[in-house]
Amino acid sequence: DQQVKQNSPSLSVQEGRISILNCDYTNSMFDYFLWYKKYPAEGPTFLISISSIKDKNEDGRFTVFLNKSAKHLSLHIVPSQPGDSAVYFCAASVADSNYQLIWGAGTKLIIKP
Amino acid sequence: ETGVTQTPRHLVMGMTNKKSLKCEQHLGHNAMYWYKQSAKKPLELMFVYNFKEQTENNSVPSRFSPECPNSSHLFLHLHTLQPEDSALYLCASSRVGDVAKNIQYFGAGTRLSVL
């Protein structure tokens, strides 16, 4: 049973508009959440993270929102740019989990010019 | 360049071959990881090494054998693989300290095809 789910395999957004990527989780013990971005032929790269004691974290065009009661987090990208086209992975961890991250299956974001 | 280098980038092998994947990190990290990524599936953690000691082995078949001679190098030895082992194998490293954050830095991966 997947503890971290990204239910949209792909998302297409017009350049300049907002991209919203969603992630749901089932384990209430998760205390840290991370978003990674992956281009073809490259490994995932860290994008932004959020602690479970917060509900929002912002870094430039990227904002992550956490709704603990709904066990849901989202990544907002605004404005979307062609270089944002990539696969986005959501991951979660527990403080005493011996360094393990639990990953979602990813959402492929396509930015249309 | 992420500071984590994996070789080779592509590997084709028969089921009776023996090969090794190599990972090297130049970030001064002390934890290293092997992941398997199959198409449209979450990353699967295979092995974790912390301070050169293996701390996790997520029920990985014995045909995969890791080796971590020091905190900068990690190998994955492969033998008698099956076609279903074809996947992208990713290496990552992180700095042990703030476990909760656990930001991992990834190499570009080795695309493995087993014939």
Side-chain angles (χ1 to χ4, degrees):
Chain A
D1 182 40
Q2 277 188 256
Q3 296 185 63
V4 177
K5 295 183 182 179
Q6 293 177 256
N7 292 317
S8 299
S10 65
L11 175 68
S12 186
V13 175
Q14 202 72 34
E15 181 180 357
R17 306 293 287 269
I18 184 171
S19 295
I20 300 176
L21 297 124
N22 294 303
C23 180
D24 297 298
Y25 62 95
T26 58
N27 189 343
S28 57
M29 297 300 292
F30 287 144
D31 55 6
Y32 214 82
F33 303 89
L34 305 92
W35 283 95
Y36 280 76
K37 174 180 178 179
K38 184 181 184 299
Y39 292 119
E42 294 182 14
T45 56
F46 171 71
L47 192 57
I48 192 170
S49 62
I50 188 167
S51 164
S52 61
I53 62 174
K54 298 189 175 181
D55 55 18
K56 178 182 174 181
N57 187 27
E58 190 172 353
D59 183 2
R61 295 186 299 114
F62 303 92
T63 303
V64 57
F65 295 92
L66 176 62
N67 182 335
K68 280 184 294 185
S69 61
K71 293 192 177 67
H72 177 84
L73 65 157
S74 61
L75 174 67
H76 292 210
I77 306 172
V78 56
S80 300
Q81 299 175 354
D84 297 328
S85 295
V87 177
Y88 289 79
F89 292 97
C90 170
S93 71
V94 178
D96 60 353
S97 65
N98 203 16
Y99 321 120
Q100 287 203 38
L101 289 177
I102 309 299
W103 296 79
T107 297
K108 183 176 183 179
L109 176 64
I110 301 164
I111 305 301
K112 299 179 292 186
Chain B
E1 178 60 49
T2 64
V4 181
T5 304
Q6 288 187 243
T7 55
R9 293 295 308 276
H10 302 274
L11 179 62
V12 179
M13 58 187 288
M15 289 190 284
T16 59
N17 292 157
K18 289 184 180 181
K19 296 286 184 183
S20 296
L21 310 184
K22 179 183 176 183
C23 178
E24 184 175 358
Q25 59 95 1
H26 307 278
L27 301 169
H29 291 165
N30 44 27
M32 296 187 76
Y33 313 78
W34 279 117
Y35 284 93
K36 174 183 178 183
Q37 187 190 13
S38 303
K40 296 185 170 54
K41 288 187 177 180
L43 274 69
E44 300 172 46
L45 179 65
M46 300 175 73
F47 300 103
V48 179
Y49 277 83
N50 178 21
F51 294 99
K52 301 186 296 177
E53 299 294 323
Q54 184 177 316
T55 57
E56 289 294 330
N57 173 354
N58 289 312
S59 303
V60 179
S62 60
R63 55 186 184 269
F64 294 92
S65 173
E67 179 190 358
C68 188
N70 55 61
S71 58
S72 298
H73 294 85
L74 185 64
F75 296 89
L76 188 62
H77 304 298
L78 316 170
H79 64 98
T80 60
L81 293 192
Q82 304 297 311
E84 60 265 29
D85 296 321
S86 298
L88 180 68
Y89 289 84
L90 290 161
C91 171
S93 70
S94 69
R95 179 171 42 240
V96 171
D98 191 340
V99 173
K101 291 185 180 178
N102 198 11
I103 296 172
Q104 297 178 13
Y105 294 80
F106 285 82
T110 296
R111 174 68 62 185
L112 174 66
S113 298
V114 181
L115 304 178

